Amino acid sequence: MAVTDFFAGEIATELLKQLFLISAKAWKYKSTADKLIALIEDIQPTIKEIQYSGVELPAHRQAQIGMLFDTFEKGKKLTEKVLSARRWNMFRQLTLARKMEKLEKTITNFLKAPILAHILADVHRLRADSEERLDRVDRSLERVIQQVGSMKIGGGGMIREAMKRAEAMEIETNDDLEKFGVGLELGKIKVKKMIFEPQGGVFGISGMGGVGKTTLARELERDHEVRCHFENRILFLTVSQSPLLEELREHIWGFLSGCEAGNPVPDCSFQFEGTRKLVILDDVWTTQALDRLTSFKFPGCTTLVVSRSKLTEPKFTYDVEVLSEDEAISLFCLCAFGQKSVPPGFCNDLVKQVANECKGLPLALKVTGASLNDKPEKYWEGVLQRLSRGEPADDSHESRLLNQMEASLENLDQTTKDCFLDLGAFPEDRKIPLDVLINMWIELHDIDEGNAFAILVDLSHKNLLTLGKDPRLGSLYASHYDIFVTQHDVLRDLALHISNVGKVNRRKRLLMPKRELELPREWERNNDEHYIAQIVSIHTGEMNEMQWFDMEFPKAEILILNFSSDKYVLPPFITKMPQLRVLVIINNGMSPAVLHDFSIFANLSKLRSLWLERVHVPELSNSTTPLKNLHKMSLILCKINKSFDQTGVDVANIFPKLGDLTIDHCDDLVALPSSICGLSSLSCLSITNCPRLGELPKNLSKLQALEILRLYACPELKTLPGEICELPGLKYLDISQCVSLSCLPEEIGKLKKLEKIDMRECCFSGRPSSAVSLKSLRHVICDTDVAFMWDEVKKVVPGLKIEAAEKCFSLDWLDE
């Protein structure tokens, strides 16, 4: 069976589910969705027959079915965008409708050709040939069994020793290909495509610990097609964390050059003529070791590097992914029961719940499954409870899984390791706002934003977290509040496991592994002594006054409150956090929550960063206790409720040092209150994704320290006040997706320090003549059809880049 056949079947089913939702909910797309449903339902039986045929299709047939798979995959992504599209964004709705029509046309054209019929005919022919070959193999196997059965295996015999070694291997076994299934087969196909490049080179297999990288490399070493391509000239070496580099270099030199061992290895780069050879370097930890081992230049030589970090160029690296749910269940059952499915009489739901705690990670599935072999269901229930709390299932689970995963942290410096452990403070299966993470690291570890971002990238390259793919990421004026980080749950469990060592009062991080109705009893039992935690993370439902108990946190600098409710009483022990610098309040419920007891803010004199998400922002008054050191405030998905627009309120007195204000996805914000313009220290103002914002205050020129102004995705905003041109320090202006804006202020040329303008998806008919005076301007992003307007400016402003950006919802992918 071709691996793409399997995934085409799975994605076709997922795509159908999405299309049914669109047909039921989105009337603008109903006609096209219904046509697509009919097309896919017609071909689904054929796809399933190919999917479960059990035969390996020829390469050209795999390519053909792969084309259909790619179309389904892109279609699925399109339907996700349709379902998440906001109704008010007519431009987006129109663009998506055109893409849906294009998708229908693409699938229709594919089905006009009898490709699937030809593939099905090949399946039937190959199945018949395969059955005949299997019959011959069965007869040969019977003869071998008879011969082996007559052999006596004595103590210390070679066969027994081999069996012992096979049993002791944790990751590599003879049936790994069967265990890892289609996921491993897909990896083989992709890696073979890379390493079969005729010019050779250095390629990589990357992934977090325990994801099956070494297994994939071993399967490639044994693969018949790989051996034929390299004429059996393959060298497999394990490098490890503490490698003997000179000894390894000698092995590689002898293999590539044909010289006998013991000959001196040249230190510099020599080039030789030679035939195709493959060197597989497993368990490489550092770039320095890789450079040392790949310094020889042999034409036709291919090096495959297996590492937990991304040591090779991204385009030459295959990132091993976790298993799908079906694959994970099969592997788990194989290790727990010796078969690929749940045995009759055993609780199917219990097996799925325990397997799901492993989140598709092969090593976790194998270790956890093996630890539950021959155990009763009651024991399984206890294991499920421990795993859900981020604890090891048993001692063997801790030593074989978490300790092995912990090896990924050994090469990290202390600050980077601490930053990794901080990730345990966030709920499982939730996206972590990048802005929250960066702010936390800055305040807790005394590093600047650039170093914090460098640590983030380093952890991503080491596969210890996943950065959301966003073209803005890393650019000079990029916003971070709508970019997210994710982490595999087993890595989160590792962070929790390390952080939870020792008595609860003495831990540096006091964390709740999962959402509970109330605080952990262990915390209450120990509250007669103060806690030394620097990070406190609480994850509950609705909390009232009676559910909190007294706790003291003299060293707490970070407090993260996650809850799901429409009302929430803030914990009274906030008043006993005199060192608190970062407060994050996130409501995961469906509607904004009302927060009670805001009077506790009176003691937060050191608070520097405040993040409020999906809550009602309390009204400010002259009696509101000033937050004298607050530097950054983010209001996300909140109800503003005219909080800043109270007559006579001196906002500058309440927030005297506020330098960064973000208001994002606040749908009740109609006009930006003029009181905000009294924040003389404000250097960054972001008002984004506010669908009803129609007006900016006339006194914006008071914000003399403002350097960054983001106003993107505010479709009702019709004009920019001329006062914007009186901001002497403004360096970045983002008005992208403000579809009602028709022009820039006429005197924009006064902005002598303006470096970048993002005005994509704005309906501009011209540009102000004064723009030629923008001598500091170096980057303009606009739509292709208006890029010509900036040609005159480009002639007089040296080094100016005019980026004609594609629409966010381009149709190009359907034209491939």
Side-chain angles (χ1 to χ4, degrees):
M1 177 182 67
V3 66
T4 46
D5 303 344
F6 178 88
F7 282 110
E10 295 296 315
I11 289 181
T13 303
E14 294 175 13
L15 179 56
L16 270 177
K17 290 178 184 177
Q18 299 279 68
L19 289 169
F20 279 121
L21 285 174
I22 291 173
S23 179
K25 294 182 178 180
W27 61 268
K28 292 181 181 179
Y29 310 93
K30 178 174 173 57
S31 175
T32 307
D34 289 342
K35 291 177 184 177
L36 283 165
I37 289 169
L39 285 171
I40 296 172
E41 284 184 333
D42 282 346
I43 63 174
Q44 213 172 12
T46 305
I47 292 174
K48 285 186 175 180
E49 185 169 356
I50 296 170
Q51 175 183 349
Y52 297 113
S53 63
V55 300
E56 181 76 25
L57 289 168
H60 71 287
R61 294 300 187 205
Q62 290 189 32
Q64 289 170 341
I65 202 76
M67 290 168 57
L68 183 61
F69 156 63
D70 288 341
T71 304
F72 284 166
E73 174 67 30
K74 292 171 181 175
K76 180 173 173 289
K77 292 178 181 177
L78 172 60
T79 55
E80 289 171 353
K81 291 179 180 178
V82 170
L83 289 169
S84 64
R86 293 178 178 270
R87 285 178 289 179
W88 53 260
N89 196 333
M90 299 307 297
F91 174 80
R92 190 178 192 181
Q93 296 276 1
L94 177 62
T95 304
L96 291 173
R98 289 175 179 170
K99 292 178 78 172
M100 287 285 288
E101 292 168 1
K102 188 72 173 178
L103 175 64
E104 180 209 342
K105 184 179 179 181
T106 302
I107 295 178
T108 301
N109 290 339
F110 183 89
L111 297 180
K112 284 180 181 178
I115 294 175
L116 286 178
H118 292 318
I119 293 174
L120 198 57
D122 281 356
V123 165
H124 291 157
R125 176 179 57 79
L126 290 167
R127 183 185 288 159
D129 292 346
S130 177
E131 288 172 355
E132 183 180 345
R133 286 196 301 272
L134 286 172
D135 287 341
R136 292 198 299 269
V137 170
D138 284 343
R139 289 193 293 271
S140 300
L141 186 59
E142 287 176 4
R143 292 194 296 270
V144 172
I145 291 172
Q146 290 173 359
Q147 295 169 4
V148 173
S150 62
M151 298 173 62
K152 293 183 179 180
I153 306 176
M158 291 180 62
I159 295 179
R160 171 169 291 184
E161 289 302 312
M163 290 175 66
K164 285 183 179 178
R165 286 196 300 272
E167 289 171 358
M169 295 175 74
E170 287 187 356
I171 303 178
E172 296 175 29
T173 58
N174 289 334
D175 58 355
D176 265 340
L177 184 56
E178 177 188 16
K179 285 184 177 181
F180 284 80
V182 183
L184 186 59
E185 192 63 33
L186 175 63
K188 283 177 62 179
I189 291 171
K190 291 189 174 181
V191 176
K192 282 196 285 187
K193 184 177 180 181
M194 290 193 304
I195 65 176
F196 284 177
E197 288 290 328
Q199 69 272 22
V202 180
F203 304 92
I205 296 175
S206 170
M208 61 185 286
V211 81
K213 303 180 297 297
T214 298
T215 301
L216 174 56
R218 285 293 187 188
E219 285 299 328
L220 287 162
E221 181 193 20
R222 293 190 285 261
D223 185 84
H224 175 71
E225 192 176 1
V226 174
R227 288 201 160 274
C228 288
H229 180 82
F230 291 101
E231 300 176 359
N232 286 319
R233 297 183 178 93
I234 301 174
L235 175 65
F236 192 106
L237 293 174
T238 300
V239 179
S240 79
Q241 279 183 272
S242 303
L244 299 172
L245 289 177
E246 293 311 312
E247 188 175 311
L248 290 168
R249 276 170 54 82
E250 186 175 327
H251 274 291
I252 298 170
W253 167 255
F255 172 71
L256 294 177
S257 67
C259 298
E260 295 183 5
N263 285 352
V265 180
D267 288 326
C268 54
S269 173
F270 280 85
Q271 296 194 14
F272 296 86
E273 295 182 2
T275 55
R276 286 193 298 240
K277 294 182 179 182
L278 173 63
V279 177
I280 301 176
L281 301 176
D282 184 37
D283 200 23
V284 182
W285 285 79
T286 64
T287 305
Q288 292 79 3
L290 177 61
D291 291 343
R292 189 72 178 144
L293 297 174
T294 56
S295 59
F296 313 117
K297 304 298 181 184
F298 284 80
C301 173
T302 298
T303 303
L304 182 61
V305 182
V306 184
S307 177
R308 299 187 184 196
S309 304
K310 296 179 175 70
L311 300 181
T312 51
E313 291 186 40
K315 63 180 178 179
F316 299 135
T317 302
Y318 172 67
D319 292 316
V320 183
E321 298 178 355
V322 296
L323 303 181
S324 68
E325 184 177 357
D326 289 341
E327 292 175 314
I329 293 292
S330 296
L331 174 57
F332 182 77
C333 289
L334 199 59
C335 297
F337 305 115
Q339 61 186 55
K340 288 188 176 182
S341 58
V342 181
F346 206 94
C347 180
N348 192 64
D349 287 342
L350 183 58
V351 174
K352 285 188 175 180
Q353 288 178 52
V354 176
N356 286 342
E357 289 293 330
C358 301
K359 303 298 179 183
L361 186 67
L363 178 61
L365 290 160
K366 294 174 72 173
V367 170
T368 307
S371 70
L372 291 168
N373 187 258
D374 293 330
K375 297 294 192 299
E377 290 183 353
K378 204 68 179 175
Y379 185 88
W380 281 60
E381 288 180 353
V383 167
L384 177 59
Q385 291 174 6
R386 288 194 293 275
L387 291 175
S388 67
R389 294 194 297 265
E391 301 171 2
D394 55 21
D395 290 341
S396 66
H397 180 265
E398 178 177 354
S399 61
R400 297 175 67 197
L401 175 61
L402 295 179
N403 290 349
Q404 181 167 343
M405 297 289 290
E406 192 171 351
S408 301
L409 311 181
E410 291 180 6
N411 281 354
L412 302 181
D413 62 73
Q414 190 57 50
T415 300
T416 304
K417 183 177 180 179
D418 284 339
C419 289
F420 168 80
L421 296 178
D422 295 341
L423 290 164
F426 298 92
E428 63 178 341
D429 299 323
R430 291 279 180 183
K431 292 179 178 179
I432 304 170
L434 182 56
D435 210 27
V436 171
L437 197 59
I438 293 288
N439 289 342
M440 184 170 78
W441 288 347
I442 289 172
E443 298 299 335
L444 191 61
H445 303 298
D446 298 323
I447 55 178
D448 58 30
E449 185 174 356
N451 283 333
F453 187 81
I455 288 173
L456 186 84
V457 173
D458 189 30
L459 290 173
S460 175
H461 283 170
K462 288 178 167 56
N463 292 296
L464 295 172
L465 58 77
T466 302
L467 269 173
K469 294 181 179 178
D470 194 298
R472 297 167 297 169
L473 191 64
S475 62
L476 183 59
Y477 296 115
S479 58
H480 291 154
Y481 53 85
D482 53 353
I483 301 176
F484 300 92
V485 169
T486 57
Q487 186 180 43
H488 192 281
D489 280 0
V490 174
L491 288 171
R492 179 178 178 270
D493 289 346
L494 174 61
L496 290 171
H497 172 67
I498 296 172
S499 297
N500 289 342
V501 173
K503 186 180 176 182
V504 65
N505 299 75
R506 315 311 297 171
R507 295 173 188 167
K508 185 177 179 180
R509 300 168 185 84
L510 190 65
L511 314 174
M512 288 181 65
K514 66 174 185 175
R515 181 175 175 267
E516 304 279 4
L517 295 177
E518 56 188 17
L519 296 183
R521 292 181 182 178
E522 183 185 19
W523 294 10
E524 186 174 12
R525 282 195 292 267
N526 291 274
N527 71 340
D528 56 339
E529 180 184 345
H530 72 260
Y531 292 78
I532 68 166
Q534 290 179 282
I535 301 177
V536 181
S537 177
I538 296 173
H539 191 192
T540 63
E542 178 182 333
M543 294 292 283
N544 58 43
E545 297 92 335
M546 302 303 295
Q547 289 174 291
W548 297 110
F549 47 80
D550 191 39
M551 302 172 77
E552 288 189 33
F553 296 95
K555 296 185 178 182
E557 297 182 41
I558 314 291
L559 175 61
I560 301 174
L561 301 173
N562 271 280
F563 63 93
S564 301
S565 175
D566 57 3
K567 55 184 177 179
Y568 187 81
V569 175
L570 293 169
F573 52 70
I574 290 183
T575 60
K576 298 184 178 182
M577 292 181 163
Q579 303 299 321
L580 193 65
R581 297 173 182 271
V582 177
L583 176 58
V584 179
I585 302 176
I586 298 178
N587 173 24
N588 297 306
M590 298 300 292
S591 57
V594 176
L595 299 178
H596 296 278
D597 205 5
F598 254 93
S599 60
I600 60 176
F601 276 64
N603 293 328
L604 301 183
S605 60
K606 293 190 177 182
L607 190 68
R608 286 180 48 83
S609 177
L610 175 63
W611 177 286
L612 300 179
E613 183 171 332
R614 202 177 271 110
V615 300
H616 285 270
V617 180
E619 291 185 358
L620 302 176
S621 68
N622 284 327
S623 61
T624 302
T625 303
L627 295 174
K628 294 184 178 180
N629 284 298
L630 189 68
H631 172 74
K632 191 167 190 174
M633 181 162 60
S634 302
L635 310 177
I636 313 296
L637 292 162
C638 290
K639 292 294 182 183
I640 301 297
N641 304 319
K642 298 184 179 180
S643 302
F644 296 93
D645 204 17
Q646 301 300 309
T647 304
V649 175
D650 187 353
V651 176
N653 182 58
I654 299 173
F655 307 115
K657 293 184 179 180
L658 190 65
D660 190 329
L661 174 62
T662 294
I663 302 177
D664 181 61
H665 282 96
C666 296
D667 58 12
D668 68 335
L669 184 66
V670 177
L672 187 65
S674 59
S675 59
I676 286 179
C677 298
L679 299 170
S680 58
S681 59
L682 202 63
S683 61
C684 178
L685 177 61
S686 302
I687 313 294
T688 57
N689 295 293
C690 294
R692 298 177 61 193
L693 178 67
E695 187 179 353
L696 297 177
K698 301 297 184 184
N699 56 345
L700 271 177
S701 57
K702 289 185 177 181
L703 299 174
Q704 291 291 290
L706 198 67
E707 296 182 357
I708 296 173
L709 179 59
R710 300 189 186 96
L711 300 167
Y712 69 75
C714 296
E716 293 298 316
L717 186 62
K718 294 179 174 60
T719 60
L720 294 176
E723 285 76 11
I724 283 182
C725 303
E726 305 297 329
L727 299 172
L730 192 66
K731 295 180 179 180
Y732 177 53
L733 176 63
D734 185 353
I735 50 175
S736 59
Q737 297 184 36
C738 290
V739 294
S740 297
L741 278 180
S742 58
C743 62
L744 290 166
E746 186 58 40
E747 296 185 339
I748 195 170
K750 290 183 177 180
L751 298 174
K752 301 302 182 184
K753 292 188 177 181
L754 188 64
E755 297 178 2
K756 184 175 180 179
I757 303 175
D758 190 340
M759 48 181 279
R760 72 189 91 190
E761 296 182 42
C762 293
C763 301
F764 284 8
S765 56
R767 60 150 183 84
S769 57
S770 66
V772 294
S773 300
L774 296 171
K775 300 302 182 183
S776 297
L777 193 63
R778 56 188 180 88
H779 193 184
V780 174
I781 307 175
C782 60
D783 293 339
T784 305
D785 54 353
V786 298
F788 72 93
M789 297 178 184
W790 293 91
D791 288 345
E792 186 179 346
V793 180
K794 192 174 182 180
K795 292 177 182 177
V796 296
V797 179
L800 176 59
K801 176 184 178 182
I802 308 299
E803 182 181 345
E806 295 181 357
K807 301 282 195 241
C808 289
F809 306 97
S810 171
L811 299 174
D812 292 348
W813 67 270
L814 284 172
D815 296 327
E816 295 176 357

